[in-house]
Amino acid sequence: MRSPRRHPLLVPALLCACVMLAVRPADAADGRDPRTDGDPGAGAQVLRLYQDAALATQRYEAGRQEAEAQRARTQWFDELLGRERREIAVLRQELGRIARAQYRDGGGLPLTAQIIFATDPADLMRGRHVFSRTRLAVDNAVEKSRRAEARLVADEAKAAAVWRGLERRRAELAALKGEIEQTLEEARGRLQGQADASVAAGSCRGAVPLDQPQRAAEGTWVAPVVGYELSAGFGSGGTRWASRHTGQDFAVPIGTPVRAVGAGRVVKVSCGGAFGIEIVIEHADGYFTQYAHLAAVTVDQGASVASGQWIGQSGTSGNSTGPHLHFEVRVTPETGSAVDPVPWLSARGVPVG
């Protein structure tokens, strides 16, 4: 029941966050309670919000993958431009070397002057041959340098275009992410608002069955939530409890699916009091597990549940100052018989941390 740290937005946490809100509210044990009926269109509205968020999430993921591909292209262009710049630098050095050698060897004299000053026709022919080879080397080097510089200019333009596209995509993704966050926040607020109304009325809304994820293997155990951060632990002190904290808190966003840690039977579903909306399950080994501060339930009292089955959604109902799941392990279904849940889960192959 201790105030947990705010957990960062986890987009997948709403994968069933809103579908649990039905248009038909009913008490978990006695049937329909008109005090908790609320707006008959609330469930449909929240469902639409969820569907919008799911579609936006798909677009976001596709855009993120596209941005990664663009980023790889920009890195490739950066490497290509680096090689081309180094090649041009080498070509320019070669041009300078040829020019200096030509100057030293008289290559800078006009051909007429070379004929006038030549003392031997053979020397003249050798000089003319050397001059021709030097001139050809210079021309080739200059042309090669020009081609390299033209490629560099073209590739720089392509790289700039890719970078502009990448920055444009980043801006689009940032706006899309903002839309997703706003949609999720609206859906979670709606969900928690209905939970608070149920707690105030002291009567639970009816359970809404869900398309369940793949169940855990028979006889196995699982953690009650995924994507959590641990907050208040068993036995810790605080002003919010009469003596010591009686369970382990898992900080998760509102609407996170809560799972039965093992197979069993639901012996209690209640809405009210310090624990807000809570579920208690009896397991075959004689232990009981409690899931408290929920925003919604998906099972009715008396139902049999499998390990890993979604039984509700996390929230912040009851004596809570932030979204989290309060999880207890008890030797009886009642408060006051709790044991430390962390080593209990660890002994069943479920490390918590």
Side-chain angles (χ1 to χ4, degrees):
M1 293 179 286
R2 187 177 188 177
S3 173
R5 293 173 290 170
R6 290 274 181 182
H7 194 279
L9 174 66
L10 299 175
V11 170
L14 199 65
L15 289 180
C16 73
C18 307
V19 290
M20 298 182 186
L21 298 179
V23 175
R24 179 191 60 82
D27 183 84
D30 328 291
R32 191 181 188 88
D33 185 336
R35 294 174 300 172
T36 58
D37 279 355
D39 178 6
Q45 181 180 4
V46 175
L47 178 57
R48 285 195 299 272
L49 287 173
Y50 160 69
Q51 292 169 337
D52 291 344
L55 291 174
T57 301
Q58 293 174 6
R59 289 166 50 208
Y60 181 86
E61 181 61 19
R64 186 193 64 79
Q65 293 176 359
E66 180 183 338
E68 288 299 321
Q70 286 185 323
R71 185 175 293 108
R73 288 186 63 202
T74 59
Q75 292 173 349
W76 180 84
F77 270 121
D78 283 345
E79 295 173 0
L80 174 64
L81 295 177
R83 290 195 302 269
E84 291 178 345
R85 290 189 181 101
R86 290 190 295 271
E87 179 183 349
I88 289 174
V90 171
L91 289 173
R92 287 175 176 170
Q93 290 177 354
E94 182 65 14
L95 280 173
R97 185 190 66 76
I98 293 174
R100 289 191 297 273
Q102 185 180 7
Y103 179 80
R104 288 194 302 269
D105 297 340
L109 290 175
L111 181 59
T112 303
Q114 294 181 40
I115 294 173
I116 294 173
F117 291 114
T119 57
D120 186 341
D123 290 341
L124 177 60
M125 293 305 296
R126 282 193 297 272
R128 182 71 182 93
H129 182 64
V130 170
F131 174 77
S132 296
R133 286 189 301 171
T134 302
R135 181 62 177 269
L136 180 61
V138 170
D139 289 346
N140 288 340
V142 169
E143 181 60 26
K144 189 174 182 180
S145 178
R146 285 173 179 169
R147 289 197 302 269
E149 289 179 353
R151 284 197 310 272
L152 177 62
V153 170
D155 289 341
E156 283 178 334
K158 292 178 182 177
V162 171
W163 272 113
R164 286 194 298 271
L166 178 58
E167 290 303 318
R168 200 163 47 244
R169 194 58 179 153
R170 283 173 175 165
E172 292 172 357
L173 292 178
L176 182 57
K177 186 173 183 294
E179 293 175 7
I180 293 172
E181 291 175 346
Q182 181 179 357
T183 300
L184 293 175
E185 195 62 31
E186 290 174 357
R188 286 171 176 151
R190 185 78 170 174
L191 182 64
Q192 186 60 48
Q194 292 188 341
D196 293 340
S198 295
V199 172
S203 181
C204 292
R205 298 171 63 85
V208 180
L210 292 178
D211 291 333
Q212 291 290 328
Q214 184 175 355
R215 304 286 177 85
E218 186 175 351
T220 60
W221 300 81
V222 299
V225 287
V226 296
Y228 59 82
E229 289 183 6
L230 296 179
S231 49
F234 180 81
S236 57
T239 58
R240 301 191 65 80
W241 310 297
S243 54
R244 311 292 284 180
H245 193 234
T246 54
Q248 174 62 57
D249 286 351
F250 295 83
V252 287
I254 294 171
T256 300
V258 174
R259 310 186 295 182
V261 296
R265 184 176 64 89
V266 179
V267 297
K268 182 179 183 181
V269 176
S270 67
C271 302
F275 288 118
I277 299 177
E278 63 169 322
I279 296 172
V280 177
I281 296 175
E282 179 182 13
H283 301 282
D285 59 1
Y287 285 96
F288 298 80
T289 52
Q290 181 217 26
Y291 312 77
H293 303 310
L294 302 177
V297 298
T298 64
V299 291
D300 287 316
Q301 190 166 308
S304 294
V305 295
S307 178
Q309 180 177 336
W310 289 345
I311 59 173
Q313 292 171 268
S314 65
T316 182
S317 60
N319 186 15
S320 169
T321 59
H324 70 290
L325 170 70
H326 175 84
F327 175 73
E328 286 190 19
V329 176
R330 301 171 176 174
V331 296
T332 76
E334 304 304 327
T335 304
S337 61
V339 299
D340 192 341
V342 173
W344 186 88
L345 285 171
S346 180
R348 287 156 178 76
V350 184
V352 174

